[in-house]
Amino acid sequence: MVSPIKRPDWDEYFLKLTFLVAERSTCRRHHVGAVIVKDKHILATGYNGAPSGCKDCLELGCLREELNIPSGQRHEVCRGVHAEQNAIIQAAIHNVNIAGATMYCTHSPCIICAKMIVNAKIKRFVTYKDYADESFKKLFLEAGVEFVQLPLPKLEISLLL
């Protein structure tokens, strides 16, 4: 008998995980999750929010919202650390080599994160959604980082009990 459940391929599987990671976000504007993977093994995860041990936007309110700053602009005003940055930082804290890895993320990166991705030697970036800033595309092309944009995965868990 054929199973009624479609098993996700690896890209869809890891991209779906980014949405679970994003649930930890403390940002009031966008919940973003990132997962770094190499050889089908999760190396690190990250979500966007205030630096560890600091008050976040859920508690203090959003500075960017208060100042009416659009997405993709004036990153220095935000108190949050981006999901991609947190995933790279987690790998560094735990001495995990992410060179040659794939980063899966709920959104495409801002230019600041793109620079970090290039310098971390991540070779592939997979997402489903465009961020307001598309300047990363030229950098990724120049640096040889493959950019893959997939359709939104089915965001429900399918299993047989």
Side-chain angles (χ1 to χ4, degrees):
M1 181 165 103
V2 176
S3 173
I5 294 177
K6 178 195 167 287
R7 190 170 177 218
D9 66 25
W10 288 109
D11 279 341
E12 183 180 1
Y13 171 73
F14 290 120
L15 189 57
K16 282 179 82 165
L17 285 174
T18 66
F19 291 90
L20 181 60
V21 173
E23 287 186 358
R24 292 280 307 150
S25 172
T26 58
C27 178
R28 295 167 53 112
R29 293 176 78 168
H30 298 288
H31 285 191
V32 181
V35 177
I36 301 174
V37 175
K38 190 184 224 177
D39 300 325
K40 300 178 189 167
H41 179 76
I42 297 170
L43 303 178
T45 65
Y47 53 88
N48 58 325
S52 183
C54 297
K55 292 181 181 179
D56 58 48
C57 295
L58 296 177
E59 186 177 349
L60 298 175
C62 177
L63 292 170
R64 295 172 58 80
E65 212 169 65
E66 291 168 19
L67 297 172
N68 208 20
I69 299 170
S71 284
Q73 299 176 17
R74 306 270 330 268
H75 297 285
E76 75 280 3
V77 173
C78 182
R79 69 174 54 90
V81 178
H82 289 190
E84 302 95 320
Q85 295 168 357
N86 273 325
I88 292 168
I89 290 165
Q90 285 302 308
I93 287 171
H94 298 287
N95 295 317
V96 176
N97 181 359
I98 58 175
T102 296
M103 179 179 280
Y104 294 86
C105 193
T106 55
H107 295 65
S108 60
C110 71
I111 191 63
I112 296 168
C113 289
K115 291 174 188 178
M116 291 180 68
I117 290 162
V118 168
N119 273 3
K121 304 208 180 309
I122 291 170
K123 289 297 173 196
R124 190 166 176 259
F125 188 96
V126 179
T127 188
Y128 98 96
K129 184 177 175 104
D130 278 327
Y131 180 63
D133 176 8
E134 290 195 0
S135 58
F136 75 92
K137 289 181 179 179
K138 185 176 178 183
L139 176 64
F140 276 9
L141 187 62
E142 180 182 350
V145 176
E146 180 186 359
F147 177 70
V148 179
Q149 192 164 5
L150 300 175
L152 176 67
K154 185 175 158 191
L155 297 180
E156 61 183 48
I157 297 172
S158 302
L159 59 106
L160 298 173
L161 297 177

